[in-house]
Amino acid sequence: MSRNSRRLDQIRAVAERLFRDKGYLATSMRDIADEMHLRGGGSLYAHIKGKEDLLWSIANEATDAFFAALEAVCAQPATPYERLRAAIIAHLLVITQHLGAAAVYFDEWRHLTEPRRSQFMARRDAYEKQFQTLLEACVASGACHASDTRLATLHLLSAMNAMRHWYKPDGRLSAQQVAEALADMLLHGL
Amino acid sequence: MSRNSRRLDQIRAVAERLFRDKGYLATSMRDIADEMHLRGGGSLYAHIKGKEDLLWSIANEATDAFFAALEAVCAQPATPYERLRAAIIAHLLVITQHLGAAAVYFDEWRHLTEPRRSQFMARRDAYEKQFQTLLEACVASGACHASDTRLATLHLLSAMNAMRHWYKPDGRLSAQQVAEALADMLLHGL
DNA sequence: GTCTATATAATGATAGAC
DNA sequence: GTCTATCATTATATAGAC
């Protein structure tokens, strides 16, 4: 799978970037081909079945990354507060490391057709439920005081995810620094 | 302008909803016409010059609403903390009252062509600068302790705006209740 | 103002030469 | 694997009858 999947990975990398920059529908197969210095969109079909396959594999790349990061956090012994804070930082770091995939995970997934769309939503909902459980444990321990854990979870998740809109990999702060600062603002306010 | 602009407002209202539900590019003129019980997309062109005019007018509706709400807050005498909290709540209420326009303001605006795209971004940046000034005043007064006001502003704005993704007008809490709860979580943490 | 028909352009995808 | 050429579809927008 050395040469073949390398070419496929190149296509996926280009698609990720264009889907984030312009959106899935505004990105044509010809756009992707151009960025790969191919003369026509047709050449891409030697490597993929169709455009939506790109969207689907990128969406799953993101989902897998979020789950893997959360499972690593939950495998460590920690207080509920420490675990929630670690989960927040881990989630934010995944976003910084997969900005293109994050754009698909948060925005472009809706252009998936059934049954993939529903499959995606189910995995995303399962992930969000795990985050709510972490938050509830934190409230039960007294470390957090959110009175409405459903509302707090919606806010926490959407606020974390919103970082994709402004984070720049070459900014003055490292990804780790930004993630820690954001975690502190989320947990303790401005 | 009674009958004519009423029809135009109907078109804009339908477009707002569809742009939010499916996205600007995924919404065809025929989709809009269908929702208005017109037989062909052509009829719409008796009221508008083109599809992008809809995007543009909706984007400006949102921009105007955000500026109006912020100016009303700044016209009142208040401490920096009270003013920031009032600005947050006002911003969140605008989103709850203009969910379709908010989707355009935050997501779909990028499909504007030049020079409208740049004009939009300039107004949005000006608005965000005003928010940063409010936050800096709050830090200077000692009511907030954010050490990095640029980062804090980016977080605050994006976290507020993220509410568009989960807020439901017919939920168990009123818009005012949700806005106040969110403001408290943003200012004081979870 | 709405209808039908259509001009024009762009898209995702395929076929066959090399 | 990439190329060129092309098909079928869909989109925005226009023209003219009513």
Side-chain angles (χ1 to χ4, degrees), chain A:
Chain A
M1 76 151 160
S2 54
R3 283 220 185 91
N4 276 346
S5 82
R6 263 207 276 190
R7 201 71 174 130
L8 183 56
D9 287 343
Q10 287 174 10
I11 297 174
R12 271 206 280 256
V14 167
E16 254 191 57
R17 180 161 44 81
L18 292 181
F19 291 172
R20 173 169 143 87
D21 287 348
K22 316 202 304 173
Y24 175 72
L25 291 180
T27 302
S28 70
M29 297 303 283
R30 286 170 179 82
D31 290 335
I32 298 172
D34 281 351
E35 295 264 328
M36 304 202 58
H37 308 288
L38 297 175
R39 294 221 165 205
S43 303
L44 296 170
Y45 291 86
H47 303 88
I48 58 171
K49 270 192 338 195
K51 187 184 179 187
E52 191 182 331
D53 280 13
L54 288 172
L55 190 66
W56 178 238
S57 68
I58 293 168
N60 283 319
E61 170 198 332
T63 308
D64 293 345
F66 282 125
F67 267 109
L70 185 56
E71 275 160 26
V73 165
C74 291
Q76 301 291 328
T79 66
Y81 173 81
E82 287 168 346
R83 182 163 287 162
L84 178 61
R85 185 168 187 276
I88 291 171
I89 291 172
H91 182 93
L92 295 174
L93 286 177
V94 169
I95 294 175
T96 65
Q97 290 154 5
H98 303 261
L99 279 173
V104 169
Y105 185 86
F106 297 124
D107 296 321
E108 307 300 330
W109 64 269
R110 65 173 161 179
H111 299 115
L112 289 168
T113 57
E114 295 296 349
R116 287 167 159 181
R117 197 174 196 269
S118 294
Q119 282 180 255
F120 171 84
M121 287 192 288
R123 286 191 77 191
R124 183 202 56 183
D125 291 349
Y127 180 79
E128 298 188 348
K129 265 215 161 71
Q130 285 200 45
F131 243 96
Q132 175 152 356
T133 303
L134 288 183
L135 179 60
E136 283 166 353
C138 205
V139 171
S141 77
C144 286
H145 57 275
S147 58
D148 188 326
T149 55
R150 181 61 191 147
L151 187 65
T153 303
L154 289 169
H155 165 59
L156 172 61
L157 283 164
S158 66
M160 289 192 299
N161 298 341
M163 131 189 257
R164 73 185 181 280
H165 287 123
W166 52 263
Y167 173 76
K168 302 271 192 292
D170 52 352
R172 65 192 154 83
L173 299 175
S174 71
Q176 182 74 30
Q177 286 174 316
V178 173
E180 288 178 4
L182 269 179
D184 288 337
M185 285 192 279
L186 282 163
L187 289 166
H188 305 118
L190 296 172

Side-chain angles (χ1 to χ4, degrees), chain B residues 29-30 45 51:
Chain B
M29 297 302 282
R30 285 177 179 85
Y45 292 86
K51 187 184 179 187

Side-chain angles (χ1 to χ4, degrees), chain B:
Chain B
M1 77 152 161
S2 55
R3 281 221 185 91
N4 277 345
S5 83
R6 263 209 277 192
R7 200 72 173 130
L8 183 56
D9 287 343
Q10 288 174 9
I11 297 173
R12 272 206 279 255
V14 168
E16 254 191 57
R17 181 161 43 80
L18 293 180
F19 291 172
R20 173 169 143 88
D21 287 349
K22 317 202 302 174
Y24 175 72
L25 290 180
T27 301
S28 71
M29 297 302 282
R30 285 177 179 85
D31 290 336
I32 298 171
D34 281 352
E35 295 264 328
M36 303 202 59
H37 309 289
L38 298 175
R39 295 222 165 205
S43 302
L44 296 170
Y45 292 86
H47 304 90
I48 58 172
K49 271 191 339 192
K51 187 184 179 187
E52 192 182 330
D53 279 14
L54 288 172
L55 190 65
W56 179 239
S57 68
I58 294 168
N60 283 320
E61 170 198 330
T63 308
D64 293 344
F66 282 125
F67 267 109
L70 184 55
E71 276 161 25
V73 165
C74 291
Q76 300 293 326
T79 66
Y81 173 81
E82 287 168 347
R83 182 163 286 163
L84 178 61
R85 184 168 187 275
I88 291 171
I89 291 172
H91 183 93
L92 295 174
L93 286 177
V94 169
I95 294 175
T96 65
Q97 291 154 5
H98 303 262
L99 279 174
V104 169
Y105 185 87
F106 297 124
D107 296 322
E108 308 300 330
W109 63 270
R110 65 174 161 179
H111 298 116
L112 289 169
T113 57
E114 296 295 349
R116 288 168 158 180
R117 196 174 196 269
S118 294
Q119 282 180 256
F120 171 84
M121 288 192 288
R123 286 192 77 190
R124 182 202 57 183
D125 291 349
Y127 179 79
E128 298 188 348
K129 263 214 162 74
Q130 285 200 44
F131 244 96
Q132 175 153 356
T133 303
L134 287 184
L135 179 60
E136 282 166 354
C138 206
V139 171
S141 77
C144 285
H145 55 275
S147 57
D148 188 326
T149 55
R150 181 61 192 148
L151 187 65
T153 303
L154 289 169
H155 164 59
L156 172 60
L157 284 164
S158 67
M160 290 192 298
N161 298 342
M163 132 189 257
R164 72 186 181 280
H165 287 124
W166 51 264
Y167 173 75
K168 302 271 193 291
D170 52 352
R172 67 192 151 82
L173 299 175
S174 71
Q176 182 74 32
Q177 286 174 316
V178 173
E180 288 177 4
L182 269 179
D184 288 337
M185 285 192 279
L186 283 163
L187 290 166
H188 305 119
L190 295 172

